[in-house]
């Protein structure tokens, strides 16, 4: 391991993949963070400290949490540590900001580096080279608890949020805020259908486009192709001119193939897959389950395609400097991956391409691949001037990737109230090996070799059952799918917790007691009890309504645990209103309690959307939804009071960004079951299914 300077950051590496003369996609690199790497994250000069943030800040407040870790170890106020969003020229490569890993994997090496720096500064050694001392957590200020101290999440004095003032005052933070001299505006036009389907330009009116005031260039470059969709670039002097140029071009598209909701449903029909034989991908295969014996529970759950619906449409700005090097401003979850992909496409080495991360206005897994970043770079090189490309909301829905739909068949048997057999079969589309980045031939190989761990995430139930079988099948769809908050853990948790709840009802047991009797992880049982104890007595139903309370719980990536209690009111016409959502969360040692609570609240609202509104419609080979009106997210007036209990018994950090999503939607579904006596099986909920007749 090379030593890192206490004062200077290292450089990164750009890698391209080739096999037998066949160009492979560029895959993200995932180096583990070490205390030696972390010495490049913290900078000290003339009594001032700067944290070069090794993670993307996308609203999860990781900048605040890691600044707090640094301040604790350095022995200074948090306000004394400036935070810089570091780019590829500032740091050695770090892995993508995904998977709720930031505190779990980055807080400890940062604390170790800061402890090394603190001791060096105390000795007056502010220059030269040092190796970070890999101190254990018990020896670090930000992890250590006083002997005998009771857990107290949130006892730390709240500190100002990084970027709060800038957000409130409208200061520049996001890619859309980047202003450069001579900045032009670009857009890449594609056929109005999924890029998964072949399309190309058949005709256009270039003369009419050139007559539009503000027209700069029409760019035809094969590298603008996205999957099987040809891209046609336009550049204008103002954003408004882009719309007028697009209309004047009147592009005629030749398209091949189609797809709609019924076709997609057939491709992921779990029963159809099971009828063809044993599902190919195993998550669990424990014990021998008798397939001929009758089942006590036989339940099917269907979850639709859903969008990320980030408030900020993706954007990028590209500019060439005087020496011909390219600067790229991005809102991404992995700046180094953007450098690799754009560098490979443009034939640029890492010294000729600098990527500058901006704050991200929502990502949730949706800003992991390279799209608008390559578009901006190609248009910039074509016109030799700075270019900003920002997708429209329609492009976000039609050209981005989405949470894949999934179809679940869950069966169970019990004896004397205890589960004996558990079988969960499901079918879905790709998440990690997304069609948005992996060609079909390579995807077929990964299907055989590895399946898709993202689809399988959260599919192992956290319950003790003597015999358990969990298997799944994959199908490539005519629309892009990929990572969505929690990957497969949200839909899988919804299916599992719906089935467990129905088992309790059919067995005549209390749903909480039934879960506690089967949970094997003490921390999960602890958060379930905490969530139930924190919930107030249910509110009696008024005339014309039905009320119910539901619970759900789960574990995320074996490190964090959550339980949710939901209260609902169901009107006579079947409309569901959630009146309260409360959760208990155990993600181990809490660094920033306010930030963890905010993540829990965000996951509760995502669960609300999963249960009541999240769905995308596909028709004639394209995402028919093109706005928040046709692909609704929960409105403020639909969000009930949210209550969060943090549980911290001193275990190592496990992550908070996605945990509660494993239980939030299921708690709402289970509350509807309690209120109406009818088990929700298709999402989002259709009021007609719960109307009183």
């Amino acid at each position: 391991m090379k030593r890192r300077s206490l004062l200077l950051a290292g450089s990164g590496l750009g890698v391209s993949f080739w096999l037998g003369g066949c160009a492979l996609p560029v895959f993200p690199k995932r180096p583990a963070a070490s205390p030696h790497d972390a010495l490049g994250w913290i900078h000290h000069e003339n009594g001032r400290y700067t944290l070069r943030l090794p993670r993307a800040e996308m609203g999860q407040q990781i900048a605040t949490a890691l600044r707090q870790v640094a301040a604790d170890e350095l022995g200074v106020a948090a306000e004394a540590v400036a935070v810089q969003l570091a780019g590829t020229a500032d740091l050695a490569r770090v892995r993508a900001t995904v998977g709720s890993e930031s505190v779990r994997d980055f807080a400890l090496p940062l604390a170790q580096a800061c402890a090394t720096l603190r001791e060096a500064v105390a000795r007056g050694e502010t220059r030269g080279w040092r190796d970070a001392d890999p101190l254990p957590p018990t020896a670090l200020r930000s992890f250590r608890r006083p002997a005998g101290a009771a857990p107290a999440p949130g006892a730390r004095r709240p500190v100002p949020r990084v970027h709060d003032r800038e957000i409130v005052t409208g200061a520049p933070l996001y890619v859309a805020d980047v202003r450069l001299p001579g900045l032009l505006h670009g857009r890449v036009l594609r056929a109005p259908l999924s890029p998964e389907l072949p399309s190309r330009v058949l005709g256009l009116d270039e003369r009419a486009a050139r007559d539009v005031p503000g027209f700069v260039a029409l760019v035809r470059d094969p590298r603008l192709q996205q999957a099987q969709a040809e891209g046609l670039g336009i550049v204008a002097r103002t954003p408004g001119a882009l719309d007028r140029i697009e209309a004047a071009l009147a592009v005629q598209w030749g398209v091949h193939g189609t797809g709609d909701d019924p076709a997609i449903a057939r491709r992921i029909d779990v029963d159809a897959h099971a009828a063809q034989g044993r599902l190919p991908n195993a998550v669990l295969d424990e014990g021998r389950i008798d397939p001929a014996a009758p089942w006590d529970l036989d339940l099917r759950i269907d979850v639709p395609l859903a969008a990320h619906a980030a408030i900020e449409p993706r954007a990028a700005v590209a500019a060439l400097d005087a020496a011909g090097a390219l600067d790229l401003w991005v809102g991404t979850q992995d700046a180094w991956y953007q450098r690799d992909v754009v560098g490979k496409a443009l034939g640029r080495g890492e010294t000729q391409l600098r990527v500058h991360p901006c704050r991200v206005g929502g990502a949730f897994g949706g800003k992991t691949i390279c799209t608008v970043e390559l578009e901006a770079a190609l248009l910039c090189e074509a016109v030799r001037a700075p270019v900003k490309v920002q997708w429209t909301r329609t492009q976000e829905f039609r050209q981005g990737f989405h949470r894949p739909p999934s179809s679940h068949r869950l069966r169970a048997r019990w004896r004397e109230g205890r589960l004996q057999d558990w079988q969960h079969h499901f079918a879905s589309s790709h998440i990690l090996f997304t069609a948005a980045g992996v060609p079909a031939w390579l995807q077929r190989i990964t299907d055989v070799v590895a399946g898709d761990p993202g689809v399988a995430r959260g599919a192992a139930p956290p319950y003790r059952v003597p015999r358990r079988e969990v298997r799944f099948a994959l199908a490539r769809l005519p629309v892009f799918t990929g990572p969505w908050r929690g990957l497969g853990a949200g839909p899988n948790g919804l299916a599992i917790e719906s089935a467990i709840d129905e088992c309790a009802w059919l067995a005549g047991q209390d749903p909480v007691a039934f879960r506690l009797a089967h949970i094997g992880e003490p921390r999960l049982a602890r958060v379930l009890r905490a969530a139930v104890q924190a919930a107030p007595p249910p509110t009696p139903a008024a005339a014309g309504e039905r009320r119910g309370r539901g619970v759900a719980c789960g574990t995320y990536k074996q490190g964090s645990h959550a339980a949710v209690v939901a209260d609902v009111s169901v009107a006579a016409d079947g409309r569901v209103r959630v009146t309260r959502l409360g959760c208990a969360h155990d993600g181990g040692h809490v660094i920033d309690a306010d930030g963890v609570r905010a993540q829990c609240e965000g996951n509760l609202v995502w669960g609300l959307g999963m249960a009541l509104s999240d769905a995308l419609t596909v028709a004639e080979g394209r995402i028919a939804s093109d706005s928040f009106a046709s692909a609704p997210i929960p409105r403020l007036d639909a969000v009930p009071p949210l209550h969060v209990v943090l549980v911290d018994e001193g275990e190592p950090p496990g992550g908070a960004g996605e945990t509660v999503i494993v239980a939030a939607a299921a708690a709402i579904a289970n509350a509807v079951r309690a209120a109406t006596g009818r088990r929700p099986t298709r999402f989002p909920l259709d009021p007609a299914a719960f109307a009183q007749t």
Side-chain angles (χ1 to χ4, degrees):
M1 174 65 70
K2 293 183 179 179
R3 294 184 176 183
R4 305 288 186 211
S5 167
L6 288 172
L7 304 178
L8 298 176
S11 61
L13 297 174
V15 181
S16 294
F17 290 84
W18 295 84
L19 179 63
C22 179
L24 289 173
V26 176
F27 292 102
K29 321 304 186 299
R30 295 185 57 80
S34 73
H36 303 278
D37 297 318
L39 286 173
W41 308 342
I42 189 71
H43 180 88
H44 173 263
E45 186 174 3
N46 299 327
R48 296 177 179 272
Y49 296 95
T50 300
L51 172 62
R52 293 174 172 138
L53 193 68
R55 316 299 287 141
E57 177 54 77
M58 47 190 182
Q60 82 279 39
Q61 298 297 345
I62 195 58
T64 300
L66 292 184
R67 182 177 70 167
Q68 185 65 63
V69 170
D72 285 349
E73 292 304 326
L74 295 170
V76 300
E79 295 85 342
V81 180
V83 176
Q84 172 188 329
L85 300 183
T88 57
D90 304 312
L91 296 183
R93 181 188 297 273
V94 295
R95 65 173 176 255
T97 303
V98 296
S100 302
E101 298 171 344
S102 294
V103 169
R104 188 192 73 186
D105 293 346
F106 286 74
L108 180 58
L110 175 61
Q112 292 166 333
C114 289
T116 300
L117 176 56
R118 181 188 69 237
E119 295 302 319
V121 171
R123 294 191 299 268
E125 301 172 1
T126 58
R127 295 186 178 277
W129 301 85
R130 297 289 184 276
D131 273 329
D133 189 358
L135 297 170
T138 53
L140 296 166
R141 297 177 180 181
S142 52
F143 285 81
R144 186 172 59 233
R145 290 182 184 275
R156 185 196 307 274
R157 177 179 68 87
V159 299
R161 311 276 94 188
V162 173
H163 295 157
D164 267 8
R165 179 177 294 275
E166 290 86 346
I167 291 172
V168 170
T169 61
L173 283 175
Y174 303 95
V175 178
D177 298 324
V178 174
R179 300 288 188 270
L180 299 174
L183 182 66
L184 303 175
H185 300 269
R187 180 178 298 168
V188 176
L189 309 181
R190 296 189 174 88
L193 75 164
S194 169
E196 177 66 7
L197 302 176
S199 62
R200 62 188 181 91
V201 176
L202 295 181
L204 52 82
D205 191 342
E206 184 173 351
R207 176 176 296 179
R210 290 183 177 276
D211 288 340
V212 174
F215 175 90
V216 173
L218 182 68
V219 180
R220 303 194 73 163
D221 186 322
R223 294 172 296 178
L224 288 174
Q225 180 161 321
Q226 182 188 21
Q228 300 193 75
E230 181 181 352
L232 178 67
I234 57 176
V235 182
R237 300 200 180 279
T238 65
L242 292 172
D243 293 332
R244 295 188 291 273
I245 294 168
E246 181 176 357
L249 276 170
V251 182
Q252 302 169 42
W253 298 98
V255 300
H256 179 72
T258 187
D260 56 17
D261 285 335
I264 289 174
R266 288 192 294 271
R267 291 197 191 190
I268 61 155
D269 184 334
V270 63
D271 295 328
H273 280 276
Q276 297 175 15
R278 189 173 175 84
L279 299 187
N281 301 290
V283 178
L284 290 173
D285 200 351
E286 302 171 344
R288 299 184 64 181
I289 294 178
D290 182 358
W295 295 97
D296 296 307
L297 171 80
D298 192 338
L299 179 67
R300 175 158 168 168
I301 299 289
D302 290 288
V303 185
L305 191 76
H308 299 90
I311 297 299
E312 177 201 30
R314 68 198 70 211
V317 174
L320 296 166
D321 69 11
L326 183 70
D327 285 287
L328 194 60
W329 288 263
V330 300
T332 179
Q333 294 175 242
D334 190 346
W336 283 263
Y337 178 66
Q338 302 299 336
R339 184 184 66 183
D340 292 347
V341 174
V342 174
K344 178 180 178 181
L346 273 61
R348 288 178 171 271
E350 62 186 71
T351 60
Q352 294 181 303
L353 177 57
R354 298 177 292 264
V355 180
H356 310 281
C358 300
R359 187 180 174 106
V360 185
F364 319 113
K367 295 174 181 174
T368 50
I369 67 171
C370 183
T371 52
V372 69
E373 298 83 5
L374 179 58
E375 293 174 356
L378 289 171
L379 295 183
C380 170
E381 285 209 334
V383 299
R384 311 303 292 181
V387 175
K388 177 187 293 182
V389 178
Q390 181 164 341
W391 278 15
T392 65
R393 184 64 59 190
T394 298
Q395 286 178 302
E396 281 288 322
F397 284 117
R398 292 183 178 169
Q399 296 178 26
F401 62 78
H402 307 294
R403 181 193 73 194
S406 56
S407 173
H408 304 255
R409 176 66 68 180
L410 302 106
R411 299 183 173 103
R413 300 187 185 106
W414 54 85
R415 187 172 64 241
E416 298 179 355
R418 297 302 298 267
L419 290 169
Q420 301 298 312
D421 296 298
W422 175 268
Q423 185 186 77
H424 181 188
H425 291 167
F426 59 105
S428 187
S429 192
H430 302 80
I431 290 179
L432 293 183
F433 300 115
T434 166
V438 176
W441 65 268
L442 183 57
Q443 203 175 64
R444 287 192 290 270
I445 294 173
T446 61
D447 285 354
V448 173
V449 174
D452 192 312
V455 176
R457 182 169 294 177
Y463 299 105
R464 292 173 297 191
V465 186
R467 293 174 292 274
R468 301 189 296 179
E469 178 187 290
V470 180
R471 304 187 72 88
F472 66 97
L474 294 165
R476 191 175 177 109
L477 301 181
V479 293
F480 280 168
T481 63
W484 188 85
R485 193 168 192 171
L487 308 189
N492 290 335
L494 173 55
I496 292 167
E497 285 299 291
S498 293
I500 285 291
D501 202 70
E502 193 64 17
C503 286
W505 281 100
L506 295 177
Q509 296 193 33
D510 174 75
V512 175
F514 187 81
R515 286 174 170 82
L516 289 172
H518 290 88
I519 288 174
E521 169 57 63
R523 292 173 65 185
L524 181 58
R526 188 169 69 197
V527 294
L528 178 56
R529 292 189 181 97
V532 172
Q533 291 169 3
T539 301
E545 71 168 353
R546 294 158 288 171
R547 284 185 174 263
R549 169 167 289 179
V551 298
C553 61
T555 296
Y556 187 70
K557 294 177 69 173
Q558 294 76 54
S560 298
H561 314 272
V564 177
V565 177
D567 290 333
V568 303
S569 168
V570 184
D573 63 2
R575 286 177 298 162
V576 175
R577 180 171 60 91
V578 180
T579 59
R580 182 188 182 277
L581 279 173
C583 77
H585 179 273
D586 178 1
H589 178 52
V590 175
I591 300 293
D592 175 15
D594 286 346
V596 174
R597 288 192 188 95
Q599 291 301 294
C600 292
E601 291 175 351
N603 277 280
L604 290 173
V605 176
W606 274 63
L608 183 71
M610 285 182 66
L612 302 184
S613 62
D614 285 358
L616 290 174
T617 300
V618 181
E620 298 179 350
R622 63 184 176 90
I623 302 293
S625 310
D626 60 2
S627 68
F628 287 144
S630 54
I633 59 177
R635 300 193 327 180
L636 189 58
D637 61 1
V639 177
L642 306 176
H643 304 271
V644 177
V645 175
L646 299 184
V647 178
D648 178 1
E649 296 289 349
E651 287 91 351
E658 298 158 297
T659 308
V660 177
I661 205 166
V662 306
I668 296 170
N670 295 340
V672 173
R673 168 65 165 91
T676 66
R678 305 175 194 176
R679 167 60 55 190
T681 60
R682 298 185 67 84
F683 296 87
L685 301 183
D686 179 1
F690 306 99
Q692 290 179 317
T693 56

